Short mmCIF file of all heavy atoms in Angstrom, two decimals:
data_model
loop_
_atom_site.label_atom_id
_atom_site.label_comp_id
_atom_site.label_asym_id
_atom_site.label_seq_id
_atom_site.Cartn_x
_atom_site.Cartn_y
_atom_site.Cartn_z
N THR A 132 197.17 136.67 -53.56
CA THR A 132 197.35 136.68 -52.13
C THR A 132 198.76 137.25 -51.84
O THR A 132 199.64 137.24 -52.72
CB THR A 132 197.22 135.37 -51.44
OG1 THR A 132 198.22 134.48 -51.96
CG2 THR A 132 195.85 134.79 -51.83
N ASP A 133 198.93 137.77 -50.58
CA ASP A 133 200.25 138.37 -50.22
C ASP A 133 201.33 137.28 -50.17
O ASP A 133 202.51 137.59 -50.21
CB ASP A 133 200.09 139.11 -48.93
CG ASP A 133 199.64 138.21 -47.80
OD1 ASP A 133 199.40 137.04 -47.98
OD2 ASP A 133 199.43 138.78 -46.66
N SER A 134 200.99 136.04 -50.03
CA SER A 134 202.01 134.94 -50.00
C SER A 134 202.24 134.35 -51.34
O SER A 134 203.11 133.45 -51.49
CB SER A 134 201.54 133.83 -49.02
OG SER A 134 200.33 133.26 -49.53
N LEU A 135 201.53 134.82 -52.40
CA LEU A 135 201.59 134.35 -53.77
C LEU A 135 201.17 132.90 -53.88
O LEU A 135 201.55 132.23 -54.87
CB LEU A 135 203.10 134.47 -54.33
CG LEU A 135 203.55 135.91 -54.51
CD1 LEU A 135 205.00 135.94 -54.96
CD2 LEU A 135 202.67 136.64 -55.57
N SER A 136 200.37 132.42 -52.97
CA SER A 136 199.86 131.11 -53.02
C SER A 136 198.59 131.03 -53.86
O SER A 136 197.79 132.06 -53.83
CB SER A 136 199.47 130.58 -51.61
OG SER A 136 198.74 129.35 -51.67
N ASP A 137 198.35 130.02 -54.62
CA ASP A 137 197.23 129.91 -55.55
C ASP A 137 196.14 129.06 -54.90
O ASP A 137 195.12 128.80 -55.54
CB ASP A 137 197.64 129.26 -56.88
CG ASP A 137 198.58 130.21 -57.61
OD1 ASP A 137 198.22 131.38 -57.81
OD2 ASP A 137 199.69 129.67 -58.05
N ASP A 138 196.30 128.64 -53.65
CA ASP A 138 195.33 127.81 -53.02
C ASP A 138 193.95 128.54 -53.00
O ASP A 138 192.84 127.90 -53.17
CB ASP A 138 195.71 127.46 -51.53
CG ASP A 138 196.83 126.43 -51.49
OD1 ASP A 138 197.03 125.81 -52.55
OD2 ASP A 138 197.41 126.30 -50.55
N GLU A 139 193.91 129.81 -52.75
CA GLU A 139 192.66 130.52 -52.65
C GLU A 139 191.95 130.54 -53.97
O GLU A 139 190.68 130.35 -54.07
CB GLU A 139 192.91 132.01 -52.22
CG GLU A 139 191.71 132.82 -51.94
CD GLU A 139 191.43 132.95 -50.45
OE1 GLU A 139 192.29 132.75 -49.64
OE2 GLU A 139 190.27 133.21 -50.18
N ASP A 140 192.64 130.74 -55.10
CA ASP A 140 192.01 130.74 -56.36
C ASP A 140 191.54 129.40 -56.80
O ASP A 140 190.54 129.20 -57.46
CB ASP A 140 192.95 131.35 -57.37
CG ASP A 140 192.28 131.75 -58.66
OD1 ASP A 140 191.43 132.68 -58.60
OD2 ASP A 140 192.58 131.15 -59.71
N ILE A 141 192.34 128.34 -56.41
CA ILE A 141 191.93 126.95 -56.73
C ILE A 141 190.61 126.64 -56.05
O ILE A 141 189.72 125.91 -56.59
CB ILE A 141 193.08 125.98 -56.39
CG1 ILE A 141 194.32 126.23 -57.36
CG2 ILE A 141 192.60 124.58 -56.59
CD1 ILE A 141 195.47 125.42 -56.97
N GLU A 142 190.52 127.00 -54.73
CA GLU A 142 189.30 126.81 -54.01
C GLU A 142 188.14 127.52 -54.67
O GLU A 142 186.96 127.03 -54.64
CB GLU A 142 189.48 127.21 -52.56
CG GLU A 142 188.22 127.14 -51.68
CD GLU A 142 187.71 125.69 -51.53
OE1 GLU A 142 188.44 124.73 -51.91
OE2 GLU A 142 186.51 125.48 -51.10
N ARG A 143 188.32 128.74 -55.13
CA ARG A 143 187.32 129.45 -55.86
C ARG A 143 186.77 128.65 -57.05
O ARG A 143 185.59 128.50 -57.27
CB ARG A 143 187.86 130.82 -56.34
CG ARG A 143 186.92 131.54 -57.39
CD ARG A 143 187.66 132.53 -58.22
NE ARG A 143 188.75 132.01 -58.89
CZ ARG A 143 188.63 131.26 -60.06
NH1 ARG A 143 187.46 130.99 -60.55
NH2 ARG A 143 189.77 130.82 -60.69
N GLU A 144 187.69 128.09 -57.79
CA GLU A 144 187.31 127.26 -58.98
C GLU A 144 186.61 126.02 -58.54
O GLU A 144 185.68 125.57 -59.19
CB GLU A 144 188.55 127.01 -59.79
CG GLU A 144 188.29 126.24 -61.14
CD GLU A 144 187.34 126.97 -61.97
OE1 GLU A 144 187.26 128.21 -61.96
OE2 GLU A 144 186.61 126.35 -62.81
N ARG A 145 187.08 125.39 -57.46
CA ARG A 145 186.40 124.15 -56.95
C ARG A 145 184.96 124.44 -56.60
O ARG A 145 184.04 123.66 -56.99
CB ARG A 145 187.15 123.63 -55.77
CG ARG A 145 186.65 122.22 -55.33
CD ARG A 145 187.05 121.86 -53.94
NE ARG A 145 186.45 122.73 -52.95
CZ ARG A 145 185.20 122.59 -52.54
NH1 ARG A 145 184.46 121.63 -53.02
NH2 ARG A 145 184.69 123.41 -51.64
#
Side-chain angles (χ1 to χ4, degrees):
T132 65
D133 57 1
S134 62
L135 292 177
S136 170
D137 295 308
D138 286 346
E139 187 100 21
D140 196 64
I141 294 174
E142 176 60 17
R143 167 200 58 76
E144 184 59 28
R145 188 197 67 78

